[in-house]
Amino acid sequence: YDQLGAGRSDSPPLDAQTADEYCPAGFVRHLDAVLSALGLARFHLYGQSWGGILAFEYVRTACLTSSKSTQQLPLPLSLTLSNTPSSVALVEAEAARLLDACGGDPNAFSLAHTCRVVPPPALLADAYAHAGTVWRGTAAISGWEADLSQLDRKRWPLHTLLMTAEADFVTPACMRAWETLPGCRTVQIAGASHHALLEEPEQYFRLLVEHLEECD
């Protein structure tokens, strides 16, 4: 589905009136609405980059509300966090460091750490073309950091896959906090950067499908 502010969905500006929608909690509500509309009782939850932040926040919310509300969010069979930072401030600092190492050249940075395919895949170019304005940067999630302190670890999905990439600007330091999640394992996509799924699709989807089949 197209999230609020992108694609064919409405794109209201990010301001005081829309702040409660353009935030992780708002997007958890939107995801829950999509799952409810589809009537999905069994599902795996996968997120790449910002999508991984949303996936984590959905499961975290499900765990936190399980004993406090009769309207519980259904838990997925598994969770996959691909190229997903655990802290916006940390990934911004790492990206700035890598940009500096590229001589401040944004094109060199993009080719080295965002997508190594030339020209960029049509799917990626189309996604950027319809990303709207709110999702150009991190304004909607500025200051976000994964809160792992209140997790109900007994209800956390037992199988969590972390997918990293060798040259991603979401560096190992950005993903290290995820390693504390129960039942977590990490795989790295060799020779790829942030959009590893488009750069090394055979390697990427083999690892992902293996994980999903194990957890289904």
Side-chain angles (χ1 to χ4, degrees), residues 25-187:
F27 280 94
V28 167
R29 294 193 299 271
H30 303 167
L31 176 56
D32 181 45
V34 171
L35 292 171
S36 297
L38 294 174
L40 294 179
R42 299 178 77 255
F43 61 95
H44 298 272
L45 197 54
Y46 161 95
Q48 193 270 344
S49 195
W50 146 248
I53 293 176
L54 174 56
F56 165 76
E57 285 291 340
Y58 175 91
V59 179
R60 187 182 76 90
T61 302
C63 291
L64 291 177
T65 60
S66 62
S67 60
K68 301 177 183 178
S69 172
T70 57
Q71 295 184 345
Q72 299 176 11
L73 299 178
L75 282 167
L77 298 174
S78 72
L79 175 67
T80 301
L81 303 179
S82 176
N83 313 91
T84 301
S86 61
S87 162
V88 170
L90 182 55
V91 74
E92 287 177 337
E94 286 291 271
R97 176 180 65 81
L98 293 171
L99 177 61
D100 185 61
C102 291
D105 184 344
N107 292 325
F109 171 86
S110 181
L111 184 59
H113 302 293
T114 302
C115 184
R116 293 182 156 192
V117 178
V118 181
L123 285 173
L124 183 60
D126 183 68
Y128 280 133
H130 295 90
T133 57
V134 172
W135 295 104
R136 303 281 180 176
T138 58
I141 52 173
S142 176
W144 179 88
E145 184 171 355
D147 183 358
L148 303 169
S149 63
Q150 301 181 47
L151 291 180
D152 181 352
R153 295 175 183 268
K154 293 181 179 179
R155 290 205 75 226
W156 188 266
L158 294 179
H159 301 286
T160 302
L161 179 66
L162 303 180
M163 302 189 74
T164 68
E166 183 178 3
D168 192 0
F169 64 81
V170 181
T171 63
C174 297
M175 297 191 67
R176 193 163 294 129
W178 300 130
E179 295 174 2
T180 65
L181 295 175
C184 173
R185 69 184 182 95
T186 302
V187 297

